Amino acid sequence: MSMIPRVKGTQDFIDCAIFNFIVDQFAQHVSLYHFQQIATPVLEHVELFKRSLGQHTDVVSKEMFIVQSANESQEQICLRPEATAATVRAFVENNPTTPWKVYSYGPMFRYERPQKGRFRQFHQINLEVIGAQSISQDVQIITMLDRFFHEKLKLNNYSLQINFLGTVADRANYLKTLKSFLTSAQGICATCTQRATTNPLRIFDCKVEECQKIYQKAPHIADHLSTESKQEWEQLKQELMLLSISFVYNPKLVRGLDYYNKTVFEFASENLGAQNAFCGGGRYDQLAKELGAREDQPSIGAAIGIERLMLLLEPIRDTLPIAQSRPLYVMMPLSQAQQPLALLLADTLHAANLVVDTLLDGDSLKSMMRKANKMGAVYALILGDQEQQNKTVVVKNMMTGEQHELAQVDLATFLKR
Ligand code: HAM
């Protein structure tokens, strides 16, 4: 029969060591900043993302995986494309005390054109601080992430880009200026022409070279801020410098989701190719209220793309303190008659917290030895007729080839030595 391949844009993780290393290190790191882990469902109402990310964003207009349930329910449900809206929904529904500092990780789904570092099912670590107004909180989040990448994951080859989108009022003001610039601009592409009316900020994401040339002269939002916002923008930069965080001001960084205001940022690496951002985030002060919170809850958060981080870590895998696997012992019953004994003996070794693989398929000793070698076993534990009768086991050192017989009752103590 023919093979059924995996769905386009998804991947199997055959080796989860780096994935788990990232998540474990992150959990340890952010616990120092008093973050708690949460988990929200993969399924959410489509309306949640329409209202939060914005109808005209690529994610909502083109990339949603809508789930069809068998009972033709009218509910419009989707696979989550990101975790911020879901985290804010969980905040509104559960009403925890603020500031709510939480992180979660898991699969996200976007119907994008797959390429290096871009999948239709991918994984994010997502973190949010909900109910935190101070721009210093943004500084601390960015610092926390930078320390994580640089110090815990030993990454050097990346840049931190920041921009400041101002308040809703700042943005409304600026959009007037941007729109009049775009009306007089000659030769922008069809997508940008459309975006000029639906979502003008996103023109800066255009990949067309001609458009980018034109936008060199476009007004920058950080130059059109109110006095108060300007102070916060200055504060952000100064405090980042105070903490020795290197960053680049990127006036074209607007992020692809509509909920952002004030601080936005991305960590990007040239080693990733076209999809170079491995972490992105920013402040979103209106979202909680838009999703039903009674009071305003100014907030800030970010998400790390685990697959992209894995691409960066793979080449430096050897420099990372990835946990060594524990010594493996392989139990080899030589015939069917020794299988129950092998099960019993393995059971006592597992109870003693030892890693034991039991070969139960009745292979020849030679083939079992070959398997144990491939598995990287430290000792082979051989049980034949004679050992069964004598209540012993033959213990073979896989490195030296030396072997000796041992009482079964002494086996756990011997291996734990
Ligand atoms: P985002 O920029 O859409 O932001 O995604 C964050 C990160 O997820 C990206 O920088 C990238 O590393 C990874 N990513 C996104 N799409 C894909 C894909 N198709 N394949 C592989 N990796 C991908 C958000 O999702 C916001 N919710 C972040 C946030 C949290 N803002 C505030 N709080």
Side-chain angles (χ1 to χ4, degrees), residues 41-273:
V42 165
L43 296 176
E44 293 282 357
H45 291 289
V46 172
E47 182 58 23
L48 176 68
F49 302 104
K50 281 191 179 164
R51 218 195 281 175
S52 55
L53 312 190
Q55 299 264 13
H56 297 294
T57 55
D58 286 351
V59 175
V60 168
S61 64
K62 298 192 260 189
E63 298 169 2
M64 295 285 266
F65 276 95
I66 313 280
V67 177
Q68 204 173 8
S69 65
N71 68 7
E72 289 181 19
S73 135
Q74 291 304 301
E75 269 185 322
Q76 274 242 312
I77 288 176
C78 63
L79 302 179
R80 61 181 177 192
E82 60 101 60
T84 305
T87 307
V88 175
R89 178 203 50 71
F91 170 83
V92 176
E93 264 188 278
N94 294 284
N95 198 25
T97 49
T98 55
W100 198 43
K101 297 187 178 182
V102 292
Y103 76 94
S104 58
Y105 75 95
M108 308 293 152
F109 305 84
R110 296 183 193 175
Y111 193 82
E112 295 193 83
R113 196 170 45 79
Q115 63 181 89
K116 183 184 170 193
R118 189 160 74 185
F119 298 91
R120 290 182 176 169
Q121 174 173 337
F122 59 99
H123 297 77
Q124 285 183 342
I125 299 178
N126 186 78
L127 63 122
E128 312 290 352
V129 183
I130 298 180
Q133 186 153 25
S134 169
I135 289 297
S136 296
Q137 184 64 68
D138 307 16
V139 174
Q140 193 171 52
I141 291 291
I142 293 172
T143 306
M144 178 179 91
L145 288 164
D146 191 59
R147 301 281 186 248
F148 175 61
F149 299 133
H150 190 63
E151 280 158 31
K152 304 287 162 72
L153 301 187
K154 313 281 181 221
L155 288 176
N156 291 312
N157 49 352
Y158 66 83
S159 71
L160 162 62
Q161 308 192 5
I162 60 171
N163 193 12
F164 203 79
L165 303 181
T167 61
V168 175
D170 293 335
R171 213 189 312 189
N173 259 336
Y174 164 73
L175 286 182
K176 281 186 219 147
T177 319
L178 181 62
K179 276 183 181 168
S180 74
F181 168 83
L182 290 172
T183 329
S184 58
Q186 298 284 311
I188 57 173
C189 73
T191 315
C192 285
T193 310
Q194 197 194 347
R195 278 179 173 163
T197 46
T198 55
N199 202 350
L201 272 187
R202 290 298 311 286
I203 56 141
F204 291 116
D205 283 343
C206 183
K207 298 275 183 284
V208 179
E209 215 173 289
E210 198 51 40
C211 291
Q212 282 305 333
K213 248 189 228 158
I214 296 169
Y215 303 149
Q216 300 272 4
K217 297 206 177 83
H220 295 159
I221 188 157
D223 298 330
H224 290 77
L225 298 173
S226 64
T227 316
E228 204 181 313
S229 291
K230 209 181 266 168
Q231 272 168 6
E232 286 184 314
W233 174 217
E234 290 309 317
Q235 182 190 345
L236 178 76
K237 290 184 286 185
Q238 273 168 21
E239 290 182 359
L240 283 173
M241 284 192 273
L242 176 76
L243 284 150
S244 310
I245 304 295
S246 314
F247 61 85
V248 182
Y249 162 48
N250 177 355
K252 290 188 185 155
L253 180 68
V254 289
R255 310 271 303 128
L257 312 167
D258 279 1
Y259 48 61
Y260 292 111
N261 64 310
K262 297 188 180 175
T263 311
V264 287
F265 59 89
E266 271 181 11
F267 289 85
S269 170
E270 281 181 3
N271 298 20
L272 287 172

